[in-house]
Amino acid sequence: MGVREIQVAGHNHSLIIHELDDVYDSATGRPLTGSWLWDSALVLSHWISTHLNFQGKAVLELGAGAGLPGLTAALLGASRVLLTDVQQLLPGLLKNVEANGFKERVEVKELVWGSDESMSEIRMSSMFDVVLMSDLFFDPEEMTRLGRTLKRICGEGTEVWAASELRPWTSECLNQLMAQGFQVVELVTQLSVQEGVEDSNAFAIFQIIPPLADRYEFSTTTCDYVLEENLNLQ
């Protein structure tokens, strides 16, 4: 599909993202759309670059796809970033890691949600300060596995931030997580990714608090509840 240069909001830096159109699901033969850069990844990258401090932190991205949010964290000073997705998408992630010169601090690993084997390997490798997720709330049936994964990889104090386009099934996915004991805090809504387009889709930023993290409270000092209505994203 090509190469995109994404400007990181609030910083005089950009990231190179390769989008691949030749990655297919071996079982169905259908293209794996995770190899493309979706708007939720742009929204999350913009938000974290203007609201979070990554200096010296360990960051995990779930369902990384093309890896933009995790690479943004690396650019902004994270000491270690782990990008995870299904096996077929790992070569594309590695390509983007190399394109941005992050091989020293950014790793790529397979992670199948709900899989004890892959979760144990990742959980044992280190504790994570921040978990990032973009556009993962699309299949309510997957939320049990996603919730199980989050419970395993999050330690006390781990912050989980997600961006999602607001679709008819988004609330059902979030309800499934809440049924597993997660708290969901919606921070920002009505974000437009195409300036001047009346029918631009709505997005939201969420903080997802795992049950084991109930002892730390959400702090309004880490973020602003107000963002520009229109984000001029590339």
Side-chain angles (χ1 to χ4, degrees), residues 44 47-48 51-52 57 129-133 137 150 154-164 174 177-178 181-189 204-211 213-225:
L44 184 59
W47 190 83
I48 64 177
H51 291 76
L52 300 184
K57 294 187 177 180
D129 301 299
V130 180
V131 175
L132 301 175
M133 308 187 297
F137 306 140
L150 286 171
C154 291
E156 183 176 359
T158 301
E159 296 182 1
V160 183
W161 302 98
S164 181
L174 295 172
L177 288 176
M178 288 188 286
F182 290 86
Q183 296 180 47
V184 176
V185 181
E186 185 173 336
L187 303 179
V188 183
T189 57
I205 301 292
F206 299 95
Q207 185 182 27
I208 310 297
I209 305 176
D214 287 348
R215 287 170 288 179
Y216 74 91
E217 295 181 357
F218 172 74
S219 172
T220 57
T221 62
T222 61
C223 68
D224 236 330
Y225 278 76

Side-chain angles (χ1 to χ4, degrees), residues 29-46:
R30 296 176 179 174
L32 284 174
T33 58
S35 60
W36 310 334
L37 189 58
W38 289 78
D39 287 341
S40 290
L42 292 166
V43 169
L44 184 59
S45 174
H46 182 284

Side-chain angles (χ1 to χ4, degrees), residues 5 16 26 36 40 57 69 98 114 122 128 180 192 211:
E5 184 175 355
I16 302 299
S26 58
W36 310 334
S40 290
K57 294 187 177 180
E98 294 172 358
I122 287 173
F128 294 98
Q180 298 175 62
S192 171

Side-chain angles (χ1 to χ4, degrees), residues 20 23 27 31 39 45-46 60 63 69 76 78 93 107 115 126 148 150 162 182 185 188 191 196 212 217 225 227 234:
L20 306 179
V23 183
D39 287 341
S45 174
H46 182 284
L60 170 69
L76 299 180
L93 282 170
E107 303 173 70
S115 165
S126 74
R148 184 179 181 188
L150 286 171
F182 290 86
V185 181
V188 183
L191 301 180
L212 57 80
E217 295 181 357
Y225 278 76
L227 260 185
Q234 298 186 31

Side-chain angles (χ1 to χ4, degrees), residues 91-103:
L93 282 170
L94 285 169
K95 188 177 185 70
N96 287 333
V97 170
E98 294 172 358
N100 291 283
F102 290 148
K103 292 178 66 176

Side-chain angles (χ1 to χ4, degrees), residues 48-158:
I48 64 177
S49 68
T50 55
H51 291 76
L52 300 184
N53 178 9
F54 289 102
Q55 287 293 326
K57 294 187 177 180
V59 178
L60 170 69
E61 185 176 0
L62 292 176
L68 177 61
L71 293 172
T72 300
L75 181 65
L76 299 180
S79 59
R80 176 182 180 237
V81 175
L82 179 57
L83 306 176
T84 66
D85 215 311
V86 295
Q87 183 65 41
Q88 297 96 318
L89 295 179
L90 302 189
L93 282 170
L94 285 169
K95 188 177 185 70
N96 287 333
V97 170
E98 294 172 358
N100 291 283
F102 290 148
K103 292 178 66 176
E104 296 297 321
R105 289 185 291 123
V106 181
E107 303 173 70
V108 172
K109 287 187 178 181
E110 179 183 19
L111 176 57
V112 179
W113 299 351
S115 165
D116 288 333
E117 182 178 354
S118 59
M119 284 192 295
S120 295
E121 180 181 351
I122 287 173
R123 181 67 173 81
M124 291 174 63
S125 62
S126 74
M127 298 291 289
F128 294 98
D129 301 299
V130 180
V131 175
L132 301 175
M133 308 187 297
S134 66
D135 220 0
L136 300 191
F137 306 140
F138 55 86
D139 186 351
E141 294 184 0
E142 289 288 331
M143 293 303 100
T144 297
R145 286 184 283 272
L146 176 60
R148 184 179 181 188
T149 297
L150 286 171
K151 289 178 181 179
R152 288 287 301 275
I153 62 177
C154 291
E156 183 176 359
T158 301

